[in-house]
Amino acid sequence: MKKNFKAGTMLNPVPAVMVSLGEGEKANIITIAWTGIINSDPPMTYISVRPERHSYGLLKESGEFVINLTTEDLAKATDFCGVKSGRDIDKWQATGLTKEGCQIVKCPQIKESPLSLECKVVECKALGSHDMFIAEIVAVNVDENLIDEEGKIWLDKAHPLAYLHGEYFGLKKYPIGKFGFSVMKAKTKKRVNKETNNRYRG
């Protein structure tokens, strides 16, 4: 039996990402949990930001940002960039994170992040506590160490970080299944399981 609660933001887990934005000395980092993919063609994403946040003005001014995926190794920096304000501190200097140029947008990406999505805002929707910045993903940057000989990206090797009800969790677990495993034919499932075992268990 489930217990009833009032309506709230109880969709968990969610990604904890560091969003870089602004140019030059104005460049800042803000940690965001309200983000996700909302369309595949064209590739679209969003971030939701409170208007009182320092980064809100930078977003409105430039209309660009970069979503930088986080890892277990980046957990402390991720948390720091969420609790400290860019009005008071240079988060790049405080965390030791490195600015790196992007392909298209003018704001920097975070070099230490395994994957960075360059985004251009197409719409801003005021929703209440937060404004949602809907954006097109215009370029993707991936750490070469996560790409195999066939060009496939293995993000799990970066040990990505998730946010669950106020706490950070790593994702090092063995996968439960591959997309479509519930309807795979026995022969296909056997082959996929063998490939997975070789990859994760050696």
Side-chain angles (χ1 to χ4, degrees):
M1 183 175 179
K2 296 177 182 176
K3 184 175 180 179
N4 296 325
F5 287 83
K6 67 178 183 179
T9 56
M10 290 299 294
L11 179 62
N12 287 284
V14 292
V17 302
M18 288 189 285
V19 174
S20 48
L21 63 174
E23 299 177 40
E25 294 183 0
K26 286 186 177 181
N28 188 41
I29 307 168
I30 181 175
T31 298
I32 296 286
W34 303 156
T35 185
I37 297 298
I38 53 176
N39 197 58
S40 55
D41 187 17
M44 302 286 290
T45 185
Y46 79 94
I47 58 172
S48 289
V49 184
R50 290 181 180 272
E52 59 266 27
R53 297 293 296 268
H54 173 64
S55 292
Y56 182 89
L58 297 176
L59 277 168
K60 295 289 281 188
E61 180 182 338
S62 69
E64 298 180 341
F65 61 89
V66 180
I67 293 177
N68 302 276
L69 266 61
T70 57
T71 65
E72 293 180 32
D73 289 340
L74 291 172
K76 187 174 181 180
T78 301
D79 184 68
F80 185 91
C81 290
V83 297
K84 292 292 185 178
S85 173
R87 291 189 184 95
D88 309 318
I89 193 170
D90 182 336
K91 296 183 189 179
W92 299 93
Q93 184 176 17
T95 59
L97 295 173
T98 310
K99 296 177 185 177
E100 188 169 58
C102 287
Q103 298 182 58
I104 296 177
V105 302
K106 295 178 181 178
C107 49
Q109 61 181 305
I110 298 174
K111 182 178 180 180
E112 290 77 9
S113 171
L115 184 145
S116 300
L117 307 175
E118 300 180 31
C119 306
K120 283 185 173 288
V121 176
V122 298
E123 185 179 356
C124 180
K125 298 179 72 70
L127 300 176
S129 62
H130 292 66
D131 281 10
M132 175 190 283
F133 291 84
I134 299 171
E136 181 176 354
I137 301 170
V138 294
V140 177
N141 307 293
V142 185
D143 188 329
E144 292 182 350
N145 294 324
L146 303 178
I147 307 172
D148 66 17
E149 297 80 8
E150 297 177 357
K152 183 175 176 61
I153 300 170
W154 297 99
L155 277 176
D156 56 299
K157 291 183 178 180
H159 306 306
L161 195 66
Y163 188 70
L164 178 62
H165 202 52
E167 297 180 301
Y168 302 97
F169 288 86
L171 302 176
K172 286 185 176 178
K173 298 294 184 182
Y174 184 82
I176 295 170
K178 189 173 184 177
F179 179 77
F181 82 100
S182 63
V183 295
M184 280 181 185
K185 294 181 180 179
K187 185 176 181 181
T188 303
K189 188 177 290 187
K190 184 177 180 181
R191 175 181 58 79
V192 169
N193 287 342
K194 183 178 179 180
E195 291 173 354
T196 303
N197 285 336
N198 289 339
R199 180 164 163 248
Y200 285 92
R201 296 173 179 171

